[in-house]
Amino acid sequence: MVGILLVSHSLKIAQGTLELIGQMTKGKVRIDIAAGTADNRLGTDAQMIKQKIEKTHSGDGVLVLVDLGSAVISTELAIENLDEPLKSTTLIADAPFVEGAVVAALEASFGKNLEEVKKLTEDVKKYSKLG
Amino acid sequence: MVNSQELIQILTKINEKIAENKDYLTQLDSAIGDADHGINMSKGFKAVVDRISQMKDKDCGSILKTAGMTLVSTVGGASGPLYGTAFMRAGQVVGSKTELNFDDFISLLEAALEGIKLRGKAQRGEKTIIDSLEPAIEAIKKHKEEGEAAALKRVVEAAKEGVEYTKKIVARKGRASYLGERSLGHQDPGATSCYLMLKTVVDWITENKGL
């Protein structure tokens, strides 16, 4: 199963998003968070992200959802520092954080492969909230 | 020019300089960003000094790479992976050398700049670290023939001018980019911390190497 990693500056944002997802997937998905700094400030930590990717990866790849600026930069650095085959099977989704995370988790739980989960997650950008 | 032990001394001075300017950098960041640059940078450099203080028997490359790795995992903001990449690239360029000369200094600055540009997908004129670092490197290369002391003086001047220039441009990267035109008139915190680092390095070399 594709793993999902939520990278946010805020531990609360990541935990809250995880809670939302849990309502729908009921534990049937490999998902984890890498959020805030090791000393509990707002921020991201490339080393922490790298370790969480390694933990979440089961061989089918990991899709990473990111919030703002440094989440992207830290995740890119974390991926660069991974060993193969993890390096080429960890991708960042260019998608809104909360909606993207929900879709990614659902699609992963349905057994879609990494490319499919990424595509469907990024399609979230096309949704209109107001119909 | 600078051996491993002296490189550790310079990095220690950078930590002191950043700590002295912690509130100033955070204040600049509170105007256009997320008000944490001073706090983040001082956390990061304090951790760097803790980590490298016992490395005087190691080569300069290992010291710089350790500094970079430490910044990556302790800073928290975008400056962590950006400065972290800069120091790691600088470390790669100097490799196993245990003494750095003037040309090594130029090479490591160029490698650092390239690292920041790639990592941040940024270029000059976007209100970032690059706006003080790139002109500083151009200055040192341009004035190299005038002697080390003169060229180093130009580094500080060019970096300072770069910092001033950031007041006149709109932020295109980082948290400040969400402000658009409203970022005009404000000085970039990243360009400022980079200037402070360059000034610390130049001041140390000037004082300790009789330039």
Side-chain angles (χ1 to χ4, degrees):
Chain A
M1 186 188 290
V2 173
I4 309 296
L5 183 66
L6 309 180
V7 176
S8 170
H9 282 67
S10 158
L11 186 59
K12 288 179 187 168
I13 289 179
Q15 286 173 335
T17 308
L18 196 59
E19 194 182 359
L20 265 177
I21 291 167
Q23 281 187 315
M24 302 171 76
T25 58
K26 301 176 184 66
K28 287 177 292 192
V29 63
R30 293 181 69 88
I31 186 162
D32 204 343
I33 61 174
T37 65
D39 58 351
N40 296 315
R41 286 172 293 135
L42 291 169
T44 56
D45 172 347
Q47 193 59 33
M48 184 199 292
I49 297 167
K50 178 173 176 270
Q51 286 163 1
K52 289 295 182 103
I53 293 170
E54 287 164 346
K55 201 176 134 218
T56 313
H57 207 295
S58 65
D60 295 330
V62 168
L63 187 68
V64 186
L65 272 295
V66 289
D67 65 355
L68 302 168
S70 83
V72 180
I73 299 177
S74 292
T75 304
E76 285 172 344
L77 179 59
I79 293 173
E80 263 180 47
N81 289 338
L82 286 169
D83 295 323
E84 290 294 359
L86 271 60
K87 189 172 177 171
S88 55
T89 51
T90 301
L91 303 173
I92 301 176
D94 187 0
F97 190 74
V98 178
E99 289 91 334
V102 170
V103 170
L106 280 175
E107 297 298 342
S109 76
F110 297 149
K112 298 276 171 61
N113 69 33
L114 180 62
E115 283 69 30
E116 288 167 334
V117 176
K118 180 172 187 284
K119 165 82 173 56
L120 291 160
T121 301
E122 294 180 343
D123 281 350
V124 163
K125 285 194 283 192
K126 298 177 199 158
Y127 291 9
S128 167
K129 284 192 189 181
L130 302 180
Chain B
M1 188 167 79
V2 169
N3 63 30
S4 293
Q5 191 171 357
E6 292 168 329
L7 179 61
I8 293 169
Q9 284 177 30
I10 292 174
L11 289 164
T12 306
K13 282 283 174 198
I14 290 178
N15 174 42
E16 289 168 14
K17 188 78 162 179
I18 295 290
E20 280 165 28
N21 287 279
K22 182 173 136 180
D23 293 341
Y24 171 55
L25 291 171
T26 293
Q27 190 192 329
L28 291 174
D29 197 23
S30 85
I32 53 169
D34 46 2
D36 62 7
H37 191 56
I39 299 161
N40 288 350
M41 290 291 284
S42 61
K43 287 252 181 198
F45 274 95
K46 187 181 178 302
V48 166
V49 170
D50 289 345
R51 204 85 54 96
I52 61 160
S53 58
Q54 302 302 319
M55 290 181 73
K56 66 180 192 312
D57 300 325
K58 305 279 188 215
D59 58 61
C60 295
S62 302
I63 294 168
L64 290 168
K65 279 185 229 166
T66 302
M69 294 287 287
T70 308
L71 291 174
V72 161
S73 58
T74 55
V75 169
S79 44
L82 291 171
Y83 280 127
T85 301
F87 277 89
M88 287 191 275
R89 292 284 178 120
Q92 281 166 14
V93 164
V94 304
S96 59
K97 288 182 181 173
T98 51
E99 176 128 20
L100 306 177
N101 63 27
F102 196 71
D103 286 327
D104 293 327
F105 181 52
I106 298 176
S107 304
L108 74 84
L109 287 179
E110 285 184 311
L113 172 65
E114 195 199 336
I116 289 175
K117 282 182 159 178
L118 285 171
R119 177 72 55 219
K121 301 186 188 80
Q123 51 189 322
R124 200 154 154 184
E126 297 183 316
K127 210 175 177 104
T128 71
I129 299 167
I130 297 165
D131 291 311
S132 59
L133 183 54
E134 190 161 78
I137 296 171
E138 283 172 7
I140 197 170
K141 285 159 78 177
K142 190 176 164 198
H143 298 282
K144 197 180 142 190
E145 306 308 324
E146 295 164 25
E148 294 178 4
L152 287 173
K153 193 162 164 271
R154 298 287 189 160
V155 165
V156 179
E157 287 170 4
K160 181 86 176 116
E161 280 167 25
V163 169
E164 290 300 315
Y165 167 66
T166 62
K167 293 179 186 170
K168 298 178 195 146
I169 53 176
V170 173
R172 300 279 178 215
K173 294 283 176 221
R175 203 69 67 88
S177 64
Y178 294 105
L179 293 173
E181 297 286 327
R182 286 162 292 185
S183 64
L184 270 177
H186 295 284
Q187 178 179 329
D188 182 61
T192 308
S193 59
C194 183
Y195 157 74
L196 290 172
M197 282 190 230
L198 288 168
K199 181 165 168 30
T200 307
V201 176
V202 169
D203 285 351
W204 189 93
I205 296 173
T206 311
E207 280 165 31
N208 292 277
K209 298 291 162 179
L211 294 179

